[in-house]
Amino acid sequence: MRILAIETSCDDTSIATLDHGNLVELLTRNQHKHHRPHNGIVPEIASRQHGNHIHRLIQACLDQSHWDWSSLDAIAVTYGPGLEGALLVGITTAKTIASTLSRPLIPVNHLHGHIYSAFMDTLPTFPFVALLVSGGHCLLVRFTDYFECTLLGQTRDDAVGEAFDKVARLLGLRYPGGPEIDALAKTGDSSRVQLPKGLHQQGLDFSYSGLKSAVFRCLNSDNPPDTADVAASFQKAACDSLIDKAIPACLDTHTDQLVVCGGVSANSYLRDALHQHGEKNGIQVRSAPLAYCTDNAAMIGRAAHFMLQSKAPIPTGITATPNLTL
Ligand code: KG4
Ligand code: ZN
């Protein structure tokens, strides 16, 4: 089964080829330089950039895989959640290829892609709790089968990646802010600035608006702290609040596996701290490999492979679904 996978939900145009679920090639073109002058993603620019580059990237990915069009067995594409115009570029392209070649179209939920980015070269065992942390999502979900899950907690305001991006802007760092804060924090002292850890209330929900406002206030005080110390303190507060909910989510539901995925799972502090806390609590922590944390088509192809393997119902007549949930 040879799958061509397409991901265009946000600001990465990403194409992958997978053979029997194993990654053959992955090509991703990010659009950071086009969005940086605007301090964030401009949907119109994202769609135009996808449209300008998707066909060249698909051809390059097929060439590097040494595949021709006729060797494809199925086309997988992200149909949500994401930016409507950006999703439409991928969906329209995928539909055209699928109908021209008379091959099946496999519409993939981007969030399932993130979950299965942690299982690129191994099979999942159930149940597991997933901490999905990205620019658009901040979720704790318990999976009992490939596509059967229960929501345990979610953010009440900003997604954690969004908080990283907004705080980076306050610190004068460029977009996307997560990797910039991660790097700057390495030179700072997280004990020098006291910041709130987020939502202390019961339950497994998250909140980041208070933390972001606290950073704003301390940077605008009469005696603003060193920016590296602020970056380190913010990163610790943001990530500790994820850990403070993720570990109890596993313990409360008697689940001994925790999967962490999505762009923010690339954070070096979060990866180390989660593994340490997991070990202490008898929880096996599986982080998505760094190469597959941020948006990519390899994870979309892998999720499509699991849809076929598990005989999950394949949605038909799909269109771009910006607010698609799990
Ligand atoms: O999964 P992703 O590529 O896109 C969405 O589905 O949203 O995640 C992008 C987010 C951005 O907010 C970015 O700042 C954040 O992931 N990110 C990080 C790191 N690398 C990317 N956040 C913290 N530390 C990182 N090293
Ligand atoms: Zn994503």
Side-chain angles (χ1 to χ4, degrees):
M1 171 59 87
R2 290 181 159 188
I3 295 178
L4 174 74
I6 300 176
E7 153 66 39
T8 62
S9 66
C10 193
D11 62 341
D12 293 293
T13 316
S14 187
I15 310 296
T17 46
L18 293 95
D19 197 353
H20 291 90
N22 300 313
L23 183 64
V24 177
E25 279 296 337
L26 170 63
L27 288 184
T28 302
R29 177 186 180 273
N30 77 51
Q31 308 172 353
H32 295 163
K33 71 172 183 207
H34 300 279
H35 297 286
R36 266 182 195 136
H38 309 278
N39 275 323
I41 296 166
V42 181
E44 169 64 23
I45 294 178
S47 325
R48 200 176 321 132
Q49 287 296 319
H50 288 310
N52 287 346
H53 295 278
I54 192 165
H55 298 103
R56 179 184 59 76
L57 276 174
I58 291 174
Q59 188 63 62
C61 194
L62 289 178
D63 291 347
Q64 290 181 27
S65 310
H66 304 288
W67 292 5
D68 56 31
W69 293 94
S70 62
S71 64
L72 296 176
D73 294 308
I75 319 299
V77 65
T78 305
Y79 73 108
L83 302 170
E84 187 161 23
L87 288 164
L88 273 173
V89 177
I91 293 171
T92 309
T93 307
K95 279 184 173 172
T96 307
I97 299 171
S99 71
T100 307
L101 299 176
S102 302
R103 300 291 194 274
L105 180 72
I106 310 173
V108 177
N109 182 328
H110 181 80
L111 304 179
H112 286 139
H114 275 305
I115 301 290
Y116 291 112
S117 68
F119 298 95
M120 286 302 297
D121 50 15
T122 184
L123 295 178
T125 53
F126 301 96
F128 61 76
V129 168
L131 173 66
L132 198 171
V133 278
S134 70
H137 291 86
C138 192
L139 300 173
L140 270 170
V141 192
R142 185 168 187 269
F143 277 78
T144 49
D145 205 337
Y146 279 99
F147 301 100
E148 271 167 37
C149 63
T150 314
L151 180 67
L152 303 175
Q154 62 188 324
T155 184
R156 299 214 176 157
D157 38 59
D158 290 349
V160 61
E162 198 179 346
F164 267 92
D165 294 336
K166 288 177 177 171
V167 166
R169 202 182 311 164
L170 295 175
L171 291 169
L173 303 172
R174 49 183 209 163
Y175 173 84
E180 299 280 318
I181 290 184
D182 198 343
L184 182 60
K186 290 193 170 46
T187 66
D189 180 345
S190 64
S191 66
R192 292 231 182 101
V193 186
Q194 293 310 310
L195 293 172
K197 240 203 227 180
L199 210 58
H200 284 292
Q201 63 211 48
Q202 295 121 349
L204 297 172
D205 283 352
F206 308 97
S207 168
Y208 284 100
S209 61
L211 175 57
K212 189 186 60 195
S213 306
V215 172
F216 178 82
R217 280 195 301 277
C218 88
L219 288 172
N220 287 284
S221 65
D222 294 339
N223 194 11
D226 175 64
T227 51
D229 292 342
V230 178
S233 305
F234 163 76
Q235 175 174 267
K236 182 170 173 7
C239 295
D240 284 354
S241 75
L242 295 174
I243 297 164
D244 286 355
K245 303 283 173 159
I247 299 292
C250 294
L251 297 176
D252 294 354
T253 59
H254 308 289
T255 313
D256 64 1
Q257 288 186 84
L258 175 65
V259 168
V260 54
C261 56
V264 180
S265 72
N267 185 267
S268 55
Y269 173 86
L270 179 64
R271 292 174 88 86
D272 290 350
L274 257 185
H275 279 272
Q276 281 169 23
H277 283 266
E279 215 160 274
K280 247 188 264 163
N281 288 280
I283 297 163
Q284 191 205 336
V285 177
R286 168 176 283 278
S287 311
L290 276 178
Y292 310 124
C293 289
T294 50
D295 292 349
N296 67 87
M299 68 185 194
I300 300 304
R302 188 70 174 163
H305 167 74
F306 287 138
M307 285 170 80
L308 296 173
Q309 289 288 301
S310 66
K311 303 204 166 24
I314 309 282
T316 51
I318 54 121
T319 179
T321 312
N323 297 319
L324 186 65
T325 55
L326 275 170

Short mmCIF file of all heavy atoms in Angstrom, two decimals, residues 144-173:
data_model
loop_
_atom_site.label_atom_id
_atom_site.label_comp_id
_atom_site.label_asym_id
_atom_site.label_seq_id
_atom_site.Cartn_x
_atom_site.Cartn_y
_atom_site.Cartn_z
N THR A 144 -8.60 4.58 23.92
CA THR A 144 -8.81 3.16 24.25
C THR A 144 -8.69 2.30 22.99
O THR A 144 -8.64 1.07 23.08
CB THR A 144 -10.20 2.94 24.88
OG1 THR A 144 -11.17 3.58 24.05
CG2 THR A 144 -10.25 3.52 26.28
N ASP A 145 -8.69 2.93 21.83
CA ASP A 145 -8.46 2.23 20.56
C ASP A 145 -7.96 3.29 19.58
O ASP A 145 -7.93 4.48 19.91
CB ASP A 145 -9.76 1.58 20.07
CG ASP A 145 -9.46 0.38 19.16
OD1 ASP A 145 -8.34 0.34 18.59
OD2 ASP A 145 -10.34 -0.49 19.02
N TYR A 146 -7.63 2.88 18.34
CA TYR A 146 -7.01 3.82 17.40
C TYR A 146 -7.78 5.14 17.29
O TYR A 146 -7.21 6.20 17.32
CB TYR A 146 -6.90 3.18 16.02
CG TYR A 146 -5.70 2.27 15.91
CD1 TYR A 146 -5.85 0.89 16.06
CD2 TYR A 146 -4.44 2.78 15.66
CE1 TYR A 146 -4.76 0.05 15.96
CE2 TYR A 146 -3.34 1.95 15.57
CZ TYR A 146 -3.50 0.59 15.71
OH TYR A 146 -2.42 -0.23 15.63
N PHE A 147 -9.09 5.02 17.12
CA PHE A 147 -9.87 6.23 16.89
C PHE A 147 -11.02 6.36 17.89
O PHE A 147 -12.05 6.94 17.60
CB PHE A 147 -10.34 6.29 15.43
CG PHE A 147 -9.16 6.27 14.48
CD1 PHE A 147 -8.77 5.10 13.85
CD2 PHE A 147 -8.38 7.41 14.31
CE1 PHE A 147 -7.65 5.06 13.03
CE2 PHE A 147 -7.26 7.39 13.49
CZ PHE A 147 -6.89 6.22 12.85
N GLU A 148 -10.79 5.79 19.09
CA GLU A 148 -11.79 5.93 20.16
C GLU A 148 -11.14 6.61 21.34
O GLU A 148 -10.13 6.12 21.87
CB GLU A 148 -12.31 4.56 20.58
CG GLU A 148 -13.49 4.13 19.76
CD GLU A 148 -13.82 2.67 19.94
OE1 GLU A 148 -13.70 2.17 21.06
OE2 GLU A 148 -14.19 2.06 18.93
N CYS A 149 -11.70 7.75 21.72
CA CYS A 149 -11.03 8.49 22.81
C CYS A 149 -12.03 9.31 23.61
O CYS A 149 -13.16 9.56 23.17
CB CYS A 149 -9.95 9.39 22.22
SG CYS A 149 -10.58 10.65 21.13
N THR A 150 -11.58 9.71 24.81
CA THR A 150 -12.38 10.55 25.70
C THR A 150 -11.55 11.77 26.05
O THR A 150 -10.37 11.63 26.42
CB THR A 150 -12.67 9.80 27.03
OG1 THR A 150 -13.08 8.49 26.71
CG2 THR A 150 -13.73 10.50 27.85
N LEU A 151 -12.18 12.93 25.97
CA LEU A 151 -11.49 14.17 26.34
C LEU A 151 -11.43 14.27 27.86
O LEU A 151 -12.45 14.17 28.54
CB LEU A 151 -12.26 15.35 25.76
CG LEU A 151 -11.68 16.74 26.04
CD1 LEU A 151 -10.35 16.94 25.34
CD2 LEU A 151 -12.67 17.83 25.62
N LEU A 152 -10.21 14.48 28.40
CA LEU A 152 -10.05 14.61 29.86
C LEU A 152 -9.90 16.07 30.28
O LEU A 152 -10.33 16.46 31.36
CB LEU A 152 -8.81 13.83 30.33
CG LEU A 152 -8.76 12.34 30.02
CD1 LEU A 152 -7.42 11.76 30.46
CD2 LEU A 152 -9.91 11.61 30.72
N GLY A 153 -9.25 16.87 29.43
CA GLY A 153 -9.04 18.28 29.78
C GLY A 153 -8.61 19.07 28.56
O GLY A 153 -8.13 18.50 27.57
N GLN A 154 -8.81 20.38 28.64
CA GLN A 154 -8.40 21.24 27.51
C GLN A 154 -8.17 22.66 28.02
O GLN A 154 -8.53 22.98 29.15
CB GLN A 154 -9.44 21.22 26.41
CG GLN A 154 -10.80 21.76 26.85
CD GLN A 154 -11.87 21.56 25.78
OE1 GLN A 154 -11.58 21.67 24.61
NE2 GLN A 154 -13.08 21.26 26.21
N THR A 155 -7.61 23.51 27.16
CA THR A 155 -7.37 24.87 27.61
C THR A 155 -8.68 25.66 27.66
O THR A 155 -9.58 25.43 26.85
CB THR A 155 -6.34 25.59 26.72
OG1 THR A 155 -6.09 26.87 27.28
CG2 THR A 155 -6.84 25.76 25.29
N ARG A 156 -8.74 26.57 28.62
CA ARG A 156 -9.94 27.43 28.73
C ARG A 156 -9.74 28.73 27.96
O ARG A 156 -10.68 29.52 27.83
CB ARG A 156 -10.20 27.75 30.18
CG ARG A 156 -10.47 26.50 30.97
CD ARG A 156 -11.45 26.74 32.05
NE ARG A 156 -11.74 25.49 32.72
CZ ARG A 156 -12.19 25.41 33.95
NH1 ARG A 156 -12.42 26.51 34.64
NH2 ARG A 156 -12.45 24.25 34.49
N ASP A 157 -8.50 29.00 27.52
CA ASP A 157 -8.26 30.23 26.75
C ASP A 157 -7.25 29.95 25.65
O ASP A 157 -7.59 29.36 24.64
CB ASP A 157 -7.86 31.39 27.68
CG ASP A 157 -6.95 30.95 28.82
OD1 ASP A 157 -5.88 30.40 28.52
OD2 ASP A 157 -7.32 31.14 30.00
N ASP A 158 -5.99 30.36 25.84
CA ASP A 158 -5.00 30.17 24.78
C ASP A 158 -4.47 28.74 24.78
O ASP A 158 -4.35 28.11 25.84
CB ASP A 158 -3.79 31.09 25.02
CG ASP A 158 -4.14 32.56 24.81
OD1 ASP A 158 -5.23 32.84 24.27
OD2 ASP A 158 -3.31 33.41 25.17
N ALA A 159 -4.09 28.26 23.59
CA ALA A 159 -3.31 27.01 23.53
C ALA A 159 -1.90 27.35 24.01
O ALA A 159 -1.45 28.50 23.91
CB ALA A 159 -3.28 26.50 22.10
N VAL A 160 -1.20 26.33 24.52
CA VAL A 160 0.11 26.63 25.10
C VAL A 160 1.11 27.15 24.04
O VAL A 160 1.91 28.05 24.31
CB VAL A 160 0.66 25.41 25.90
CG1 VAL A 160 0.83 24.19 25.02
CG2 VAL A 160 1.96 25.76 26.61
N GLY A 161 1.02 26.64 22.81
CA GLY A 161 1.92 27.13 21.75
C GLY A 161 1.64 28.60 21.43
O GLY A 161 2.56 29.38 21.16
N GLU A 162 0.35 28.94 21.48
CA GLU A 162 -0.06 30.32 21.26
C GLU A 162 0.55 31.22 22.35
O GLU A 162 1.00 32.33 22.07
CB GLU A 162 -1.59 30.34 21.36
CG GLU A 162 -2.30 31.50 20.79
CD GLU A 162 -3.83 31.30 20.98
OE1 GLU A 162 -4.29 30.18 21.31
OE2 GLU A 162 -4.53 32.30 20.82
N ALA A 163 0.55 30.71 23.59
CA ALA A 163 1.14 31.47 24.70
C ALA A 163 2.64 31.65 24.47
O ALA A 163 3.18 32.75 24.67
CB ALA A 163 0.88 30.77 26.03
N PHE A 164 3.33 30.60 24.02
CA PHE A 164 4.75 30.73 23.70
C PHE A 164 4.95 31.81 22.63
O PHE A 164 5.84 32.64 22.73
CB PHE A 164 5.31 29.39 23.19
CG PHE A 164 5.93 28.54 24.27
CD1 PHE A 164 5.19 27.58 24.95
CD2 PHE A 164 7.27 28.66 24.61
CE1 PHE A 164 5.75 26.80 25.95
CE2 PHE A 164 7.85 27.88 25.59
CZ PHE A 164 7.08 26.94 26.27
N ASP A 165 4.10 31.79 21.59
CA ASP A 165 4.26 32.75 20.49
C ASP A 165 3.99 34.18 20.96
O ASP A 165 4.70 35.12 20.59
CB ASP A 165 3.33 32.38 19.32
CG ASP A 165 3.72 31.06 18.67
OD1 ASP A 165 4.90 30.67 18.78
OD2 ASP A 165 2.84 30.41 18.08
N LYS A 166 2.97 34.36 21.81
CA LYS A 166 2.63 35.71 22.28
C LYS A 166 3.69 36.24 23.25
O LYS A 166 4.06 37.42 23.19
CB LYS A 166 1.25 35.72 22.96
CG LYS A 166 0.11 35.56 21.95
CD LYS A 166 -1.24 35.50 22.64
CE LYS A 166 -2.39 35.43 21.63
NZ LYS A 166 -3.67 35.17 22.29
N VAL A 167 4.17 35.38 24.14
CA VAL A 167 5.21 35.82 25.08
C VAL A 167 6.50 36.13 24.32
O VAL A 167 7.20 37.09 24.63
CB VAL A 167 5.42 34.76 26.20
CG1 VAL A 167 6.69 35.02 26.98
CG2 VAL A 167 4.21 34.77 27.14
N ALA A 168 6.80 35.33 23.30
CA ALA A 168 8.00 35.60 22.49
C ALA A 168 7.91 37.00 21.88
O ALA A 168 8.90 37.74 21.85
CB ALA A 168 8.13 34.55 21.39
N ARG A 169 6.71 37.36 21.43
CA ARG A 169 6.52 38.69 20.85
C ARG A 169 6.79 39.76 21.89
O ARG A 169 7.45 40.76 21.62
CB ARG A 169 5.10 38.80 20.30
CG ARG A 169 4.97 39.87 19.23
CD ARG A 169 3.54 39.99 18.73
NE ARG A 169 2.92 38.72 18.37
CZ ARG A 169 1.62 38.55 18.20
NH1 ARG A 169 0.78 39.55 18.34
NH2 ARG A 169 1.13 37.37 17.88
N LEU A 170 6.30 39.54 23.13
CA LEU A 170 6.55 40.51 24.21
C LEU A 170 8.04 40.63 24.49
O LEU A 170 8.54 41.70 24.88
CB LEU A 170 5.84 40.07 25.51
CG LEU A 170 4.31 40.03 25.51
CD1 LEU A 170 3.78 39.46 26.82
CD2 LEU A 170 3.75 41.44 25.28
N LEU A 171 8.76 39.53 24.29
CA LEU A 171 10.21 39.53 24.57
C LEU A 171 11.02 40.03 23.36
O LEU A 171 12.25 40.05 23.41
CB LEU A 171 10.67 38.11 24.92
CG LEU A 171 10.18 37.55 26.26
CD1 LEU A 171 10.49 36.06 26.37
CD2 LEU A 171 10.83 38.31 27.41
N GLY A 172 10.32 40.38 22.29
CA GLY A 172 11.02 40.89 21.09
C GLY A 172 11.64 39.77 20.27
O GLY A 172 12.56 40.00 19.47
N LEU A 173 11.16 38.53 20.45
CA LEU A 173 11.69 37.40 19.67
C LEU A 173 10.84 37.19 18.43
O LEU A 173 9.68 37.61 18.38
CB LEU A 173 11.68 36.14 20.53
CG LEU A 173 12.47 36.22 21.85
CD1 LEU A 173 12.23 34.98 22.70
CD2 LEU A 173 13.96 36.40 21.57
#
